[in-house]
């Protein structure tokens, strides 16, 4: 998170960190006691056995109260590793997570997209500057403005095509998600409305952060279908 502030997991108890072979790689959101919502690009090309999910920890270097192995991925069949269309995945956990009031809780996927220019909360352990390499040791958060679609299309015109499965947010030049925040939530009115997906740099004036639009028809349908295939976990 660039331009944010340090916080504790009690402020964002739905946020989990995702590890691959023990190394922190991404964020995610607990949408049920056994399912994590994250980005397809966090898991694409790898195997579920390599991943664990940690919940209830504010710091990456603390022993998390809840650690679970990932048993299955459900990566959107329409995910594109070239243009990041449909950058969404559900991770099924081997065992249910024990909810800890005020520390580990679930969050519902968004039904309706946030209103234009509304402020939404992002959080994660991603780098605090575009030029940094190491993740932030303690979880951070920021409020970012959800941009009207046209504003984002103008920003990325000639650089990338934005699809209906994407939504943009930032306080341009100041606050944004960044490397390591991928897969983590953009929260509006207590629901997860975006998944940190991509952007050109971080907190640049010209380039807002791009999020998977959870309330878009294609993303919403994918989530519902996947949960159905899991047998309504
Ligand atoms: C990344 O590299 C990344 N500013 C995540 C989010 C953004 C840019 C890059 C959005 O994972």
């Amino acid at each position: 998170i660039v331009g944010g502030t340090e916080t504790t997991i009690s402020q964002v108890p739905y946020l989990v960190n995702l590890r691959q072979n023990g190394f922190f790689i991404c964020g995610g959101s607990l949408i049920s006691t056994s399912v994590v919502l994250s980005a397809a690009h966090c898991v694409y090309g790898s195997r579920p056995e390599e991943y664990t999910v940690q919940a209830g920890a504010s710091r990456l270097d603390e022993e998390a109260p809840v650690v679970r192995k990932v048993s299955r991925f459900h990566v959107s069949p329409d995910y594109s590793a070239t243009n990041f269309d449909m950058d969404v995945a559900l991770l099924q956990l081997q065992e249910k997570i024990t909810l800890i009031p005020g520390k580990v809780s679930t969050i519902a996927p968004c039904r309706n997209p946030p209103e234009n220019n509304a402020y939404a909360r992002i959080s994660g352990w991603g780098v605090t500057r575009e030029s940094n390499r190491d993740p932030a040791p303690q979880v951070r958060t920021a409020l970012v403005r959800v941009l009207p679609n046209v504003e984002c299309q103008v920003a990325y015109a000639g650089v990338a095509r934005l699809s209906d499965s994407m939504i943009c947010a930032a306080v341009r030049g100041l606050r944004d998600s960044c490397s390591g925040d991928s897969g983590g939530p953009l929260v509006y009115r207590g629901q997860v409305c975006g998944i940190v997906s991509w952007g050109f740099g971080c907190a640049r004036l010209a380039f807002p952060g791009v999020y998977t639009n959870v309330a878009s028809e294609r993303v919403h349908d994918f989530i519902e279908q996947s949960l159905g295939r899991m047998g309504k976990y």
Side-chain angles (χ1 to χ4, degrees):
I1 303 287
V2 178
T5 54
E6 206 168 85
T7 189
T8 63
I9 205 71
S10 343
Q11 300 304 306
V12 287
Y14 46 79
L15 174 68
V16 300
N17 76 72
L18 185 60
R19 313 227 173 187
Q20 185 178 20
N21 302 317
F23 292 96
F24 165 76
I25 54 152
C26 274
S29 308
L30 207 53
I31 61 165
S32 82
T33 52
S34 57
V35 181
V36 169
L37 177 69
S38 190
H41 82 262
C42 290
V43 301
Y44 188 72
S46 302
R47 296 171 306 122
E49 308 83 74
E50 299 170 14
Y51 291 83
T52 54
V53 164
Q54 303 203 345
S58 298
R59 298 184 58 85
L60 288 180
D61 59 6
E62 78 180 276
E63 197 178 335
V66 180
V67 183
R68 291 292 184 272
K69 293 175 180 169
V70 174
S71 59
R72 286 203 63 169
F73 295 155
H74 299 255
V75 176
S76 168
D78 299 323
Y79 169 62
S80 163
T82 21
N83 63 204
F84 279 39
D85 190 31
M86 292 296 286
D87 192 7
V88 54
L90 294 185
L91 283 54
Q92 199 169 332
L93 306 178
Q94 230 168 45
E95 284 185 273
K96 284 190 178 187
I97 275 186
T98 342
L99 299 179
I100 307 174
K103 220 174 191 188
V104 179
S105 61
T106 59
I107 188 167
C110 203
R111 297 298 312 254
N112 301 108
E115 293 150 50
N116 284 344
N117 301 306
Y119 279 78
R121 182 169 301 283
I122 54 172
S123 53
W125 293 268
V127 299
T128 56
R129 294 184 61 132
E130 190 186 310
S131 54
N132 284 178
R133 306 180 100 259
D134 295 329
Q138 172 127 2
V139 64
R140 302 182 76 86
T141 184
L143 285 174
V144 287
R145 181 174 65 94
V146 175
L147 306 189
N149 215 284
V150 57
E151 183 178 337
C152 199
Q153 286 181 349
V154 168
Y156 280 103
V159 181
R161 269 194 313 277
L162 301 182
S163 81
D164 61 301
S165 79
M166 301 172 191
I167 187 170
C168 300
V171 173
R172 298 175 68 167
L174 289 177
R175 296 186 219 150
D176 194 4
S177 49
C178 202
S179 179
D181 293 318
S182 283
L186 171 91
V187 174
Y188 178 69
R189 291 186 176 164
Q191 298 184 328
V192 53
C193 296
I195 303 165
V196 178
S197 179
W198 63 278
F200 190 87
C202 308
R204 294 191 185 191
L205 198 53
F207 298 106
V210 187
Y211 298 76
T212 311
N213 183 2
V214 172
S216 68
E217 191 173 349
R218 288 191 298 143
V219 175
H220 189 264
D221 287 356
F222 165 74
I223 293 172
E224 285 302 308
Q225 281 180 21
S226 304
L227 290 175
R229 278 198 302 270
M230 293 176 196
K232 284 292 175 196
Y233 271 78

